Amino acid sequence: MPKIQSFSAPWLQEPNPGHKLFEQSEENSRLPASMAYSRNASSGPKRTIAKRGNEVFIASGREIRWGDIAYLKDAWEADQSRTRAASHLNGDSSDSSFEVYDEETSHLPQGPGYRVIKTPVASEIRQLVISPNKDQLAVLTSHTVHVCMLPDTSHLTSGETAPFKPKFWTLGPTTHVTSKSAVVSALWHPLGVNGSCLVTVTEDAVVREWELSTIDRWSFDTPTLEVDLKRLADGTSVDQDFGASTSTNKAFSPDDFDMKVASACFPSRNSNGWAPMTLWVAMAQGDVYALCPLLPRRWSPPPTLIPSLSVSVAQKIETFETDTEATREEKLLAKQQLEWMADLDNQEPKLLDGPYGQVTEVYSRPSRPGSIPRLQGPFEFAVGPEDEQDDEMELKDILVIGAKRNTADLMMGEDFELYADDDDKDSLSMSVICLLSTSGQVKICLDIDGVEAQWLPPRNAATRGFGFSDHETPSLLVFHTFDTLKPAEITPDSWPTFSEDVTTRYAFYVTHAAGITYVSLAPWISVLEGELQSDSEAGVDFRFDLMVKGQRAEVDRIYTPQHAQNVLAAATAFRSSDLGHFVLSATHNDPVIMFFDTPESELMSGRQETPAPTEHGETPEPLTVWEPRPLFHASEVLSRPSTLPPWLDALRTSRKRPLMQQEVRLSVATLEIFTEGHRLVSSEVFELNNAVAELFRKCEALTYELKEQITKVYEVNQRIETISGEGESRSPKEENISEEMLVRSRIDVMKVRQENLARRVDNLRKRLGQVSTRELSDKEKAWAEEVRTLASSILGAEEEEDTTTASINTAGQSLKRFEEVQILRDALFEQAQQLQSTDSVDGTSSPMPVMKIPSDIRKQKVAQVMNLLDRETALVEAVKSRLEKLSID
């Protein structure tokens, strides 16, 4: 987990201009805090923060605040530098009417850095969803959807402060209205052309695709594809009508309860296979469904998507042709996928100019076997833990992390390798589905089988009995389950949400009313992928058992709000060179920000040398001088104006005005006035008491924190004095030595200790090498046997050598035998020289020793000689015959 550096951003705190991005809207500011909380808590997910680079869009009420955080930070630093320069020039003078010119900040454009965007919505904004190309923003209320064309960044620094009114379109003016079902999710399709396809999912399980065009107004009125999941679940053939019903009279159906949608999600665009075109839908009652392939009418795939699908479909067809156990349903599904791919391969893609100068290939959605896929599910949860508390809760959100791209199969037989992104290096070859319930419980599920494209059978095949049987229900493996909330923090009307991280796709944040929790799946992702890709099956069960019993996810609560009634906006992660890595959230009137260590600083800290151990063998831990703490915000009740004066002014102009100008008399009207006044005063006094009590508790906590800080500073001071030698008692001679000499002498002592430790480590390494119990190889065993044979031939048979004398006698006997061999060798050399000299005098040479030649070699040589003789005989006969012919002529 990244380490938190700070919980505050001064340029976003009051009274700086950046705080106006998070101020409460005028509509909500008139309501008490308890009423504002009840309105925000029960209206669905709260995703009111969207980002575009360093820019943020924050919804408050019916307004959207737009600002550049980096610009606000630079402006705040420039203001601080001018203030310090002015105070330095003025000294003690209070005259600071002149301005100080700052060269470092003079290049900044003049402007507030934030604007208010006016929206045409009629109720509170609940979600902001920005498009992949960052040029459009979907604005969601509980029942309506609007699309905003985002303005250019130059409007923030133009100097204007009036509310900005960009172009807005109402999506589905007769479809998404308050009289119909609520909108739970709005998703930009990852395969839409230039990010222009918006998918909306309503609470009554209706999925709609909107292919938007700013030059075609009718594209915002009617969806290009509409699917009712309740009808699709009961469908039998692909030719049926699965559109949403237009009837206003609705009878009760069990599907209205079981098929109530909580959330929906698409995997990322760079996922493998069918994942980018798979819509995952989580129902409130706990069921999970998948819709694949769900494509717009015109779609733009990444470069590796269509080749990878072609390879997988071809492999499946080849497998089913040779598999005699394949069922009719499996063969029908493979045939449908092949038909879909054939329709896609026959197309000639259109080339369009994409963002950042890229060329985009656009395909049309294949019409065969059908435009609406089969609804897969509900998925069964295999090896799911039984949690009685979670069985009574509802699902609230779903997050799907797609499988990594399989470039090995795609580039098989090619001479070059396809470039792999950094996200694919430490990724999993299967999809990960994360489910979040009202109780804060998170289920991490693995899609072992993999979701593929499926369609209902054609009408003629359905009549012949072709279809998908019930026993083929897909399943998800529940790998890990953990809680992010304590039992006391669970509220039935809360709506926790998922938020993705920017550093890795296997990390995310869980935001709920009780705080923000960081979750990382990286500890087991690489280990599991290594086991899945390994060819060795030895010990697999043991290793998987250790993995399951070990740590499977890193879970840490990084923020807990100080006011229990605050509803937090879904956390949004940022990472930029100007601001670093941080997470931004917000209450109804204040920002919540956490700055983390950047990966570069973590890398540098990891390269630092480990401190040397102490004399007792313990490694000293670095002293933590300070720990980041959440920024305390006093309750807004202390600064909110009282409602009592307006109430008194209203009484003076009402029909009860005479009672305000005379003595108090017992009457029904007087009782009503006192009752109403008591209600107003008691509610305000109660809130003030709670706010003051919280402030008093914080002041008491500050005293303890201050004592703790003083203690840590004292410890650091003692360590510095110990290093510099000031804290030790020194003799009169040592007092004349400078501090620099003391430090250098101490450094020399530490270098000597370091050298001694290095020498000890080398000795230990050598000893470990000597006592190694590694088994000998076959060659080493053969060499040892040869050494033993040679030793026995030289030293004789081994005898018992219990004493040192026996070993000395054996060595003496060996030396004696060696001397005898040398004497015999010299004698043989002398005899040989005498024989050579005798032969030279007599003129005769000694006969050559008879060499033993194997019989097979002799036979081969004789055969060669006979072949040569036959050839010579044939030549002689041929010459003889020619001579005879010449003589006759």
Side-chain angles (χ1 to χ4, degrees), residues 40 57 287 359 455 470 475 503 536 546 556 620 659 695 708:
N40 295 333
F57 299 88
D287 293 335
V359 178
W455 294 267
D470 295 336
S475 63
T503 57
S536 176
L546 289 179
D556 190 11
L659 297 177
L695 185 61
E708 183 180 356

Side-chain angles (χ1 to χ4, degrees), residues 472-510:
E472 295 180 351
T473 303
S475 63
L476 297 175
L477 176 63
V478 179
F479 186 79
H480 191 198
T481 303
F482 55 89
D483 294 324
T484 59
L485 291 177
K486 300 177 182 178
E489 296 174 341
I490 299 175
T491 54
D493 55 352
S494 63
W495 199 295
T497 55
F498 282 122
S499 301
E500 297 180 358
D501 194 16
V502 292
T503 57
T504 173
R505 60 177 184 162
Y506 288 100
F508 53 87
Y509 301 92
V510 178

Side-chain angles (χ1 to χ4, degrees), residues 707-772:
K707 292 179 181 179
E708 183 180 356
Q709 293 286 346
I710 293 174
T711 303
K712 290 183 178 181
V713 171
Y714 177 75
E715 293 177 359
V716 173
N717 184 30
Q718 291 295 323
R719 175 166 291 191
I720 294 174
E721 290 181 353
T722 302
I723 294 175
S724 61
E726 295 181 357
E728 301 176 358
S729 58
R730 294 185 292 177
S731 60
K733 296 181 179 180
E734 294 178 347
E735 292 180 356
N736 299 327
I737 302 176
S738 63
E739 294 183 1
E740 183 179 359
M741 295 298 295
L742 291 174
V743 173
R744 288 184 178 179
S745 62
R746 187 171 180 82
I747 292 175
D748 294 337
V749 172
M750 297 303 295
K751 287 182 178 180
V752 173
R753 289 182 60 186
Q754 183 68 21
E755 293 176 357
N756 294 335
L757 289 174
R759 194 178 300 110
R760 289 178 60 186
V761 170
D762 293 338
N763 295 335
L764 289 174
R765 190 182 295 111
K766 293 178 181 179
R767 290 185 181 181
L768 290 175
Q770 294 175 0
V771 300
S772 176

Side-chain angles (χ1 to χ4, degrees), residues 93-351:
S93 175
S94 59
D95 185 12
S96 57
S97 58
F98 62 91
E99 296 183 356
V100 179
Y101 179 76
D102 191 356
E103 295 182 356
E104 297 181 357
T105 59
S106 60
H107 67 280
L108 293 176
Q110 300 298 323
Y114 68 92
R115 296 288 294 274
V116 176
I117 297 179
K118 288 293 184 180
T119 63
V121 300
S123 59
E124 184 182 10
I125 299 174
R126 299 300 308 174
Q127 299 184 58
L128 297 177
V129 187
I130 197 166
S131 64
N133 289 350
K134 313 297 183 182
D135 56 348
Q136 295 178 348
L137 182 69
V139 182
L140 278 72
T141 63
S142 60
H143 290 77
T144 62
V145 181
H146 294 77
V147 178
C148 171
M149 180 61 66
L150 292 180
D152 188 71
T153 311
S154 59
H155 293 280
L156 290 174
T157 57
S158 61
E160 298 181 2
T161 58
F164 190 77
K165 296 181 180 180
K167 179 64 177 177
F168 272 90
W169 288 272
T170 302
L171 191 69
T174 59
T175 303
H176 297 307
V177 292
T178 55
S179 60
K180 296 186 178 181
S181 182
V183 180
V184 294
S185 294
L187 311 168
W188 293 98
H189 201 293
L191 301 181
V193 179
N194 293 333
S196 60
C197 179
L198 185 64
V199 179
T200 59
V201 184
T202 55
E203 197 175 36
D204 59 349
V206 177
V207 179
R208 296 178 176 89
E209 281 188 351
W210 309 79
E211 298 185 42
L212 308 179
S213 176
T214 55
I215 60 176
D216 184 8
R217 180 180 178 183
W218 295 105
S219 63
F220 294 89
D221 292 343
T222 306
T224 57
L225 184 66
E226 188 177 38
V227 183
D228 190 347
L229 300 185
K230 295 189 292 293
R231 286 188 174 185
L232 187 60
D234 300 330
T236 58
S237 67
V238 73
D239 303 324
Q240 293 178 339
D241 181 18
F242 300 108
S245 175
T246 57
S247 176
T248 57
N249 298 326
K250 293 184 179 180
F252 173 77
S253 173
D255 291 338
D256 296 338
F257 181 76
D258 296 333
M259 302 283 287
K260 182 181 178 181
V261 178
S263 181
C265 177
F266 274 109
S268 64
R269 176 181 174 87
N270 295 326
S271 302
N272 185 47
W274 304 96
M277 57 186 76
T278 303
L279 177 66
W280 292 83
V281 182
M283 302 300 173
Q285 299 304 316
D287 293 335
V288 177
Y289 294 86
L291 204 60
C292 176
L294 182 66
L295 289 173
R297 188 169 49 189
R298 297 170 65 251
W299 60 292
S300 172
T304 59
L305 179 60
I306 295 180
S308 63
L309 292 179
S310 300
V311 171
S312 63
V313 171
Q315 291 177 352
K316 179 179 291 187
I317 293 295
E318 184 180 357
T319 302
F320 286 159
E321 287 179 353
T322 58
D323 188 6
T324 58
E325 298 180 356
T327 62
R328 294 186 303 172
E329 290 81 2
E330 292 176 346
K331 292 181 179 180
L332 176 61
L333 176 60
K335 181 181 177 181
Q336 288 178 333
Q337 292 182 359
L338 181 62
E339 189 178 6
W340 188 85
M341 285 302 307
D343 191 349
L344 191 62
D345 292 337
N346 293 332
Q347 297 183 21
E348 187 67 25
K350 298 180 181 179
L351 301 181

Side-chain angles (χ1 to χ4, degrees), residues 509-766:
Y509 301 92
V510 178
T511 307
H512 39 70
I516 302 174
T517 303
Y518 172 80
V519 180
S520 175
L521 309 181
W524 57 269
I525 288 294
S526 58
V527 179
L528 179 59
E529 180 63 17
E531 292 293 341
L532 294 176
Q533 300 298 332
S534 177
D535 297 333
S536 176
E537 297 182 359
V540 173
D541 296 338
F542 175 73
R543 293 193 296 272
F544 270 104
D545 185 62
L546 289 179
M547 187 189 308
V548 171
K549 293 181 180 179
Q551 183 182 6
R552 289 165 288 172
E554 185 178 344
V555 183
D556 190 11
R557 176 77 67 86
I558 60 175
Y559 176 75
T560 302
Q562 54 191 352
H563 305 291
Q565 291 184 344
N566 281 339
V567 178
L568 297 176
T572 305
F574 290 77
R575 184 182 178 185
S576 66
S577 57
D578 298 328
L579 301 171
H581 180 202
F582 66 95
V583 171
L584 180 65
S585 181
T587 62
H588 60 281
N589 61 345
D590 284 311
V592 175
I593 190 169
M594 287 150 285
F595 287 92
F596 299 108
D597 282 339
T598 58
E600 291 78 10
S601 62
E602 292 178 0
L603 182 61
M604 294 300 295
S605 62
R607 293 177 179 176
Q608 295 177 359
E609 298 181 357
T610 304
T614 59
E615 298 179 356
H616 301 285
E618 299 178 355
T619 302
E621 298 181 358
L623 287 178
T624 303
V625 181
W626 61 276
E627 295 180 357
R629 294 178 176 84
L631 189 64
F632 175 75
H633 295 279
S635 177
E636 69 278 3
V637 176
L638 299 176
S639 58
R640 189 172 60 217
S642 175
T643 58
L644 194 60
W647 176 70
L648 292 176
D649 295 338
L651 281 179
R652 293 189 180 95
T653 58
S654 64
R655 60 185 180 85
K656 299 177 182 179
R657 180 180 56 183
L659 297 177
M660 303 295 296
Q661 301 175 356
Q662 55 183 318
E663 296 181 356
V664 177
R665 297 179 180 179
L666 297 179
S667 63
V668 177
T670 304
L671 182 59
E672 290 178 355
I673 293 175
F674 273 89
T675 303
E676 182 67 19
H678 180 269
R679 186 182 62 81
L680 294 176
V681 174
S682 62
S683 61
E684 291 188 358
V685 169
F686 177 76
E687 293 179 353
L688 286 173
N689 286 337
N690 292 336
V692 172
E694 183 182 12
L695 185 61
F696 179 76
R697 288 192 298 269
K698 187 60 180 178
C699 292
E700 283 188 338
L702 283 176
T703 58
Y704 294 106
E705 293 176 1
L706 180 59
K707 292 179 181 179
E708 183 180 356
Q709 293 286 346
I710 293 174
T711 303
K712 290 183 178 181
V713 171
Y714 177 75
E715 293 177 359
V716 173
N717 184 30
Q718 291 295 323
R719 175 166 291 191
I720 294 174
E721 290 181 353
T722 302
I723 294 175
S724 61
E726 295 181 357
E728 301 176 358
S729 58
R730 294 185 292 177
S731 60
K733 296 181 179 180
E734 294 178 347
E735 292 180 356
N736 299 327
I737 302 176
S738 63
E739 294 183 1
E740 183 179 359
M741 295 298 295
L742 291 174
V743 173
R744 288 184 178 179
S745 62
R746 187 171 180 82
I747 292 175
D748 294 337
V749 172
M750 297 303 295
K751 287 182 178 180
V752 173
R753 289 182 60 186
Q754 183 68 21
E755 293 176 357
N756 294 335
L757 289 174
R759 194 178 300 110
R760 289 178 60 186
V761 170
D762 293 338
N763 295 335
L764 289 174
R765 190 182 295 111
K766 293 178 181 179

